[in-house]
Amino acid sequence: GAGVSQSPSNKVTEKGKDVELRCDPISGHTALYWYRQSLGQGLEFLIYFQGNSAPDKSGLPSDRFSAERTGGSVSTLTIQRTQQEDSAVYLCASSFSMSSYNEQFFGPGTRLTVL
Amino acid sequence: GQQVMQIPQYQHVQEGEDFTTYCNSSTTLSNIQWYKQRPGGHPVFLIQLVKSGEVKKQKRLTFQFGEAKKNSSLHITATQTTDVGTYFCAGSSGTYKYIFGTGTRLKVLA
């Protein structure tokens, strides 16, 4: 079956522009996570969704970051007025449910470069 | 807030040598997961530990969860070049949220 997919795989943008990153989770997975991974670093939790709801947005680095999920499936992460420090790989993961006992399946990530 | 540290940050070993990475949480965990990320790839789930003192094995990999459920380790016996990558632990306090460790990057020299 299809895994988690993300698009675009690479995005180069100029400082100050807005970008939208997309995640298609595994069909039937109700939980969806966004992480950020800077070069050679660990994974920084950004936000999670249970269905279309995002109960905890505290991981978002600033109010320039927002995310939504529609139809309990596709999610988009939007970064407004991008800054150079936003450059990183943005990873999406999905799991069967919100239970902490479910493994997360990661997508290939979107590499964002802000010039 | 909760923090998860991993040591070492880097490890270079000769093929055939053993390798161990350690994970320490600032708070008691309900469970811990381990992931492997190959160079240029994305994290892939390896295993989950739930019980205090639990030990699980996968071929040459041995995973342990501490008695206090605040630390964990991954040991690889007789490393192979296919073991190259970064190993992450990820701890949960029983909620949706996983805090990932800083990762240990393993290089295996043939």
Side-chain angles (χ1 to χ4, degrees):
Chain A
V4 178
S5 61
Q6 291 186 245
S7 61
S9 55
N10 278 287
K11 177 71 177 178
V12 180
T13 190
E14 292 179 348
K15 178 181 172 182
K17 295 284 178 75
D18 297 352
V19 296
E20 202 170 86
L21 313 180
R22 176 186 168 110
C23 172
D24 276 274
I26 292 172
S27 177
H29 281 192
T30 59
L32 186 147
Y33 300 77
W34 282 99
Y35 295 91
R36 178 167 72 173
Q37 186 173 33
S38 300
L39 187 62
Q41 301 298 309
L43 278 72
E44 175 189 3
F45 170 84
L46 298 179
I47 192 170
Y48 91 101
F49 289 89
Q50 176 62 20
N52 293 334
S53 171
D56 183 353
K57 302 179 181 179
S58 63
L60 294 176
S62 75
D63 58 8
R64 297 185 295 103
F65 287 72
S66 63
E68 65 175 15
R69 189 179 184 193
T70 55
S73 182
V74 172
S75 176
T76 54
L77 176 69
T78 302
I79 309 174
Q80 295 179 311
R81 304 180 303 282
T82 51
Q83 303 294 314
Q84 288 183 333
E85 60 263 28
D86 299 334
S87 296
V89 175
Y90 289 82
L91 290 161
C92 172
S94 70
S95 66
F96 181 67
S97 75
M98 196 177 68
S99 165
S100 65
Y101 296 97
N102 291 303
E103 67 179 276
Q104 296 177 58
F105 294 84
F106 282 83
T110 293
R111 182 176 299 277
L112 175 66
T113 304
V114 182
L115 302 176
Chain B
Q2 180 186 3
Q3 291 185 338
V4 178
M5 302 298 294
Q6 264 184 270
I7 55 170
Q9 188 175 3
Y10 300 96
Q11 184 83 59
H12 294 185
V13 298
Q14 287 290 136
E15 188 173 22
E17 291 183 338
D18 292 357
F19 159 77
T20 305
T21 173
Y22 300 91
C23 181
N24 293 289
S25 170
S26 59
T27 59
T28 301
L29 302 170
S30 66
N31 62 301
I32 195 161
Q33 297 178 345
W34 284 90
Y35 291 81
K36 177 183 178 181
Q37 185 174 25
R38 293 182 185 274
H42 56 274
V44 174
F45 176 83
L46 293 176
I47 208 159
Q48 174 168 263
L49 304 169
V50 178
K51 298 176 184 176
S52 169
E54 188 170 15
V55 178
K56 286 188 176 180
K57 292 191 176 184
Q58 285 180 351
K59 298 182 180 177
R60 295 179 294 104
L61 278 61
T62 302
F63 302 84
Q64 258 185 309
F65 201 9
E67 293 290 342
K69 300 183 76 172
K70 294 183 74 173
N71 56 73
S72 181
S73 65
L74 158 59
H75 179 82
I76 303 178
T77 303
T79 53
Q80 299 175 358
T81 55
T82 54
D83 295 326
V84 165
T86 302
Y87 293 85
F88 291 100
C89 61
S92 171
S93 297
T95 69
Y96 59 87
K97 190 173 179 177
Y98 275 89
I99 302 298
F100 276 74
T102 44
T104 296
R105 185 176 300 176
L106 173 64
K107 282 194 173 180
V108 180
L109 307 172

